[in-house]
Structures are given as structure tokens and as C-alpha cells.
Amino acid sequence: QSVLTQPPSVSGAPGQRVTMSCTGSSSNIGAGYDVHWYQQLPGTAPKLLIHGNNNRPSGVPDRFSGSKSGTSASLAITGLQAEDEADYYCQSYDSSLTAFFGTGTKVSVL
Amino acid sequence: QITLKESGPTLVKPTQTLTLTCTFSGFSLRTSGVGVGWIRQPPGKALEWLGVIYWDDDKRYSPSLKSRLTITKDTSKNQVFLTMTNMDPVDTGTYYCAHDYSNYVMQFDYWGQGTLVTVSS
């Protein structure tokens, strides 16, 4: 079982803002280790969406933003679009270079 | 342009050993800090990190699977190998390899397409 907990699902209408949380512990997120976010469209490999807590790789729309506070992190999608319907995973690591993925959140566009 | 591709058997029997190959291009495992990780995903379930090998041959494994996993590399051929012993039906899933940007941040910025492995007698 994952050490990073995410809500199973979030939903919103087109154009709305949705957020999802990623809750870790004092040994990973709370210890200052980076949080990354991945988007997985149906039937495809995950894609890096946010790295280093709040940085977007080239080509990722600025509708996606990340933040981190304490032992948790959050991903926000503003101006939700139908193409954003996907599974989203957070990922962090610890001092022994053990990586962890979150439990995943399914985003539905109503 | 960084690309990775997984290859190996699509069907293995319980108790057998699985060996997967990740063949990559666009980067070198001689570059300081760079690594290749393995991640799997059972059907309909979440991603699970398995392990990573770095440029300096440092290897890290998931604590829950460490006894069954071995990751090696052939730098000259741009290949990384995952070996998992004593396969069980619960190990069925899609196995991905991914480029790890740096051992300081464990950021998987490029992924292979994945290969589906089914464990069944």
C-alpha cells in the first residue's frame, strides 16, 4: 500500500477549478523532499505534469499548478477541460532514495 | 529526444523468473546523476515504484519487493534489465521503465510505453 494518500476521485464542470491533495508524512513530503505529479490518460503511460512541487515541464498548460505545505501537496486544475479527464498521481521519495507514488485520483469532467 | 521501450515475455508461469529489458536512447547512463527506474501498474490499480539504477551503479529497491528484484545495466548497449523472481498472479500488470532525471530529486520525466506481463499457469 502507498504511503501517499490521494482522494479516489474529484469532478467538475468544464471551466471550473478542481484540486486534489496528496498526504504524506514527516519522512517524505514533510522532510522537504520534492513532490512530482503525473497525468495518465486512459490506456497510456504516465506523463510528468509537475516537478519539484510547482514547476511545469515545457508544453504543460499553465492551467495546472502544484503546491506543497507541511506533509501534504496539492494539484490544481483551473479552467477544467474535457481532455483533462485522466488519473493523476503524486510521487515523492525519502532519505533512502525510496520513491513512492500516491494512491491516484481520477478526475471526471461533468 | 529521450525514448525508452520495454521488452520481454508477455506471459510467465507462477514461480518463474521474469526478466524485462529497457532499451533507451537520447541519454547516457554515464551522465552523473541520471538513472532508469522501473514502475508497474496492476490492471485498474495505482502505480507502484519497483526500483532504480543510477549512473554510478547505485541501486535502490522497493522495500516490500527487495528480496525478489535485481536491476542491472549495460551502459554500452543503452539497456537496463529488471529481474523479478518467484512470480505470482498478483504480479500481473503493465511494467514501465522511466528516465530518472537525478538521484537528488527522483523525477521520472520520460516513460516507456509499458509492457503487459500476465502471470498465469
Side-chain angles (χ1 to χ4, degrees), chain A residues 20-95:
Chain A
M20 64 201 79
S21 59
C22 172
T23 303
S25 71
S26 57
S27 64
N28 42 68
I29 299 176
Y33 296 107
D34 284 350
V35 177
H36 315 302
W37 291 88
Y38 302 85
Q39 177 193 59
Q40 187 176 32
L41 297 170
T44 68
K47 166 193 165 184
L48 181 66
L49 194 67
I50 297 287
H51 66 89
N53 308 314
N54 55 14
N55 301 290
R56 287 185 309 276
S58 174
V60 173
D62 60 6
R63 303 184 289 105
F64 296 93
S65 62
S67 63
K68 188 179 92 166
S69 178
T71 58
S72 295
S74 291
L75 175 70
I77 310 174
T78 56
L80 191 65
Q81 299 183 5
E83 66 204 51
D84 299 332
E85 198 160 270
D87 293 323
Y88 293 81
Y89 294 93
C90 61
Q91 179 244 313
S92 189
Y93 49 102
D94 64 16
S95 60

